[in-house]
Amino acid sequence: MTRHQIQKVRHEIRRRTLTVTALEAVTPKMLRISLASPELTDFVSLAPDDHVKLFFQDEVGATVMRDFTPRAFDPAKGTLTLDFALHESGPATAWAADWRSADPGAPRSCRTTSTGCC
């Protein structure tokens, strides 16, 4: 029997600015957000356990990071899709909930850092 080998891949950390292009309410507590940017041309997602870090402002204005697993990535379109669990509170929930009430036709951006997997 052949044993599988796990290979850890480290990606160069790079900050990108992305624009929200679509919203989909998956459930009342789950929001799927599609993001786009020409800065995604060199983005790589090799495994189901990859992650990206998004930067948010908390209630006192400090910058905080949250990890998200890419739901989908389309390199040809330069789009990245993430699922947001809408918890009772927190900066990522506040940001995503704000999008639920926003006009999706009005582009706004967020910052992300690709950290790859593990």
Side-chain angles (χ1 to χ4, degrees), residues 24-100:
E24 176 189 351
V26 179
T27 72
K29 294 288 188 178
M30 179 74 64
L31 184 63
R32 185 161 293 153
I33 299 180
S34 296
L35 305 154
S37 175
E39 295 180 39
L40 288 171
T41 56
D42 62 347
F43 180 81
V44 176
S45 182
L46 298 174
D49 63 348
D50 281 349
H51 67 278
V52 296
K53 292 188 181 295
L54 295 186
F55 295 84
F56 303 94
Q57 298 296 312
D58 68 11
E59 61 279 349
V60 297
T63 300
V64 295
M65 296 181 294
R66 297 292 184 264
D67 289 351
F68 291 88
T69 301
R71 172 85 173 140
F73 173 60
D74 186 334
K77 293 181 181 177
T79 59
L80 176 66
T81 303
L82 304 173
D83 286 345
F84 280 71
L86 301 175
H87 302 287
E88 294 302 316
S89 64
T93 293
W95 183 84
D98 186 42
W99 274 103
R100 289 177 84 164

